[in-house]
Short mmCIF file of all heavy atoms in Angstrom, two decimals:
data_model
loop_
_atom_site.label_atom_id
_atom_site.label_comp_id
_atom_site.label_asym_id
_atom_site.label_seq_id
_atom_site.Cartn_x
_atom_site.Cartn_y
_atom_site.Cartn_z
N MET A 138 9.84 197.41 53.41
CA MET A 138 11.29 197.39 53.32
C MET A 138 11.88 196.23 54.12
O MET A 138 12.88 195.63 53.72
CB MET A 138 11.85 198.72 53.82
CG MET A 138 11.53 199.91 52.94
SD MET A 138 12.11 201.48 53.65
CE MET A 138 13.90 201.23 53.58
N ARG A 145 17.20 190.21 50.78
CA ARG A 145 18.58 190.66 50.58
C ARG A 145 19.52 189.98 51.57
O ARG A 145 20.60 189.52 51.22
CB ARG A 145 18.67 192.18 50.73
CG ARG A 145 17.98 192.97 49.64
CD ARG A 145 17.75 194.41 50.06
NE ARG A 145 18.99 195.12 50.36
CZ ARG A 145 19.06 196.23 51.08
NH1 ARG A 145 17.95 196.74 51.63
NH2 ARG A 145 20.22 196.82 51.29
N VAL A 180 13.92 189.69 61.77
CA VAL A 180 15.06 190.04 60.92
C VAL A 180 15.66 188.80 60.27
O VAL A 180 16.09 188.83 59.11
CB VAL A 180 16.13 190.78 61.75
CG1 VAL A 180 17.41 190.97 60.95
CG2 VAL A 180 15.58 192.14 62.19
N ASN A 185 18.63 181.00 55.83
CA ASN A 185 18.77 179.55 55.94
C ASN A 185 19.23 179.19 57.35
O ASN A 185 20.33 179.58 57.77
CB ASN A 185 19.80 179.06 54.91
CG ASN A 185 19.87 177.54 54.84
OD1 ASN A 185 19.51 176.83 55.78
ND2 ASN A 185 20.33 177.02 53.72
N GLY A 218 32.00 181.44 58.04
CA GLY A 218 30.89 181.28 57.12
C GLY A 218 29.52 181.34 57.75
O GLY A 218 28.51 181.25 57.05
N GLN A 273 40.15 187.68 63.68
CA GLN A 273 40.03 186.32 63.15
C GLN A 273 38.98 186.24 62.04
O GLN A 273 38.68 185.15 61.54
CB GLN A 273 39.67 185.34 64.27
CG GLN A 273 40.59 185.39 65.48
CD GLN A 273 42.05 185.27 65.10
OE1 GLN A 273 42.44 184.34 64.41
NE2 GLN A 273 42.86 186.23 65.55
N ARG A 314 12.25 196.75 87.44
CA ARG A 314 12.00 198.15 87.12
C ARG A 314 12.44 199.07 88.26
O ARG A 314 12.73 200.26 88.03
CB ARG A 314 10.51 198.36 86.83
CG ARG A 314 10.09 197.97 85.43
CD ARG A 314 8.58 198.02 85.26
NE ARG A 314 8.00 199.35 85.47
CZ ARG A 314 7.96 200.31 84.54
NH1 ARG A 314 8.49 200.11 83.35
NH2 ARG A 314 7.38 201.47 84.80
N ASP A 318 17.13 203.11 86.83
CA ASP A 318 18.21 204.08 86.69
C ASP A 318 19.57 203.42 86.80
O ASP A 318 20.52 203.80 86.09
CB ASP A 318 18.07 205.18 87.75
CG ASP A 318 16.87 206.08 87.51
OD1 ASP A 318 16.37 206.11 86.36
OD2 ASP A 318 16.42 206.74 88.47
N SER A 367 31.58 187.41 46.86
CA SER A 367 31.02 186.89 45.61
C SER A 367 31.11 185.37 45.65
O SER A 367 31.81 184.80 46.48
CB SER A 367 31.79 187.44 44.40
OG SER A 367 33.17 187.09 44.49
N ARG A 377 37.38 170.11 36.60
CA ARG A 377 37.61 168.90 35.79
C ARG A 377 36.60 167.81 36.16
O ARG A 377 36.06 167.14 35.28
CB ARG A 377 39.04 168.38 36.00
CG ARG A 377 40.12 169.28 35.40
CD ARG A 377 41.47 168.55 35.38
NE ARG A 377 41.90 168.21 36.72
CZ ARG A 377 42.66 169.01 37.47
NH1 ARG A 377 43.03 170.21 37.01
NH2 ARG A 377 43.04 168.63 38.66
#
Side-chain angles (χ1 to χ4, degrees):
M138 292 176 66
R145 291 163 61 199
V180 171
N185 187 337
Q273 307 308 307
R314 279 172 61 82
D318 291 340
S367 59
R377 291 193 299 269

